[in-house]
Amino acid sequence: MVKGVIFDMDGLMFDTERLSTIFWRQTGEEFGVDVPEEFTYCFRGRNPAAIREAFLERYGADFDYERFREIRTRLQYDYIREKGVPLKKGLIELLEYLQKKGIRAAVATSTDRKLADTMIERAGVRGYFDAFAYGDMVERSKPHPDVFLRAAKELGILVEECLVLEDSIAGVEAGKAAGGYIIHIPDLIVVPEEVKEGITAQYDSLDEVIGWLEGGGSHV
């Protein structure tokens, strides 16, 4: 029986991956470098350290990534303050269901604590969650399972009794490695069939997870 549900954030809870691509490109324009959308795919779902490594590998060891990320983060904060955080379909319905059923919930995101907290607060969903694990709280990024293991620990629940919800390739790999249930909710990136092999289920939106939970939880 599932005792806890662990949510990825960007692309899963919030419809922010599309925005992220825009922010990376706009920052590149300010820096005078091209940041192709295809390049951003390689670090979707990964933590700040892994993204930094990807930029230095592509643009060289002298690239001022700290300044680059500062500008990109400012653009995101400005957007959030002005327009809020776009929610993914079915998020509130699922969170309200979990709250009603007494099933504990956690956020496990590769985003750093400060930005993630800002988004969670602005979206008005903090009260639904019992625990939070951020990208700067673990040493290894997804596809390693560390952030999900940390979230389960914060919940006080065995990871084998948790359901992980993910959208990205690295996230699905990390969820599988964690050892609990893993449901894929597609977003921008197509997750290859070989990566999805062995997952619990795939649904088009978060509210469909309610039916799976109501059915007692099983591989479908």
Side-chain angles (χ1 to χ4, degrees), residues 2 5-6 12 15 26 39 59 63-64 70 73 80 82 89 103 134 150 156 162 164 172 187 189 199-200:
V2 170
V5 178
I6 302 175
L12 189 284
D15 194 10
Q26 289 177 342
F39 170 56
Y59 298 107
F63 184 75
D64 189 359
E70 180 183 324
T73 302
I80 292 169
E82 180 181 350
K89 180 180 182 296
I103 300 173
Y134 307 99
R150 178 64 180 263
C162 291
V164 168
V172 170
D187 187 44
I189 306 300
I199 68 172
T200 305

Side-chain angles (χ1 to χ4, degrees), residues 43 47-57 61 63 65-66 69:
F43 51 74
N47 68 8
I51 297 174
R52 180 181 185 276
E53 182 178 340
F55 268 85
L56 295 183
E57 181 176 341
F63 184 75
Y65 176 71
E66 282 66 31
R69 183 173 180 82

Side-chain angles (χ1 to χ4, degrees), residues 89-150:
K89 180 180 182 296
L91 174 64
I92 299 302
E93 291 85 348
L94 177 55
L95 289 173
E96 289 182 345
Y97 171 85
L98 297 177
Q99 193 172 69
K100 179 181 177 181
K101 294 294 184 178
I103 300 173
R104 293 169 65 78
V107 174
T109 176
S110 295
T111 301
D112 65 85
R113 180 196 299 261
K114 183 179 179 181
L115 179 56
D117 274 344
T118 299
M119 296 175 70
I120 291 165
E121 290 287 353
R122 189 71 175 83
V125 297
R126 175 172 291 279
Y128 289 105
F129 292 99
D130 304 286
F132 303 88
Y134 307 99
D136 50 2
M137 290 173 62
V138 294
E139 182 175 349
R140 298 188 303 174
S141 178
K142 300 172 187 176
H144 296 288
D146 300 32
V147 73
F148 293 132
L149 299 178
R150 178 64 180 263

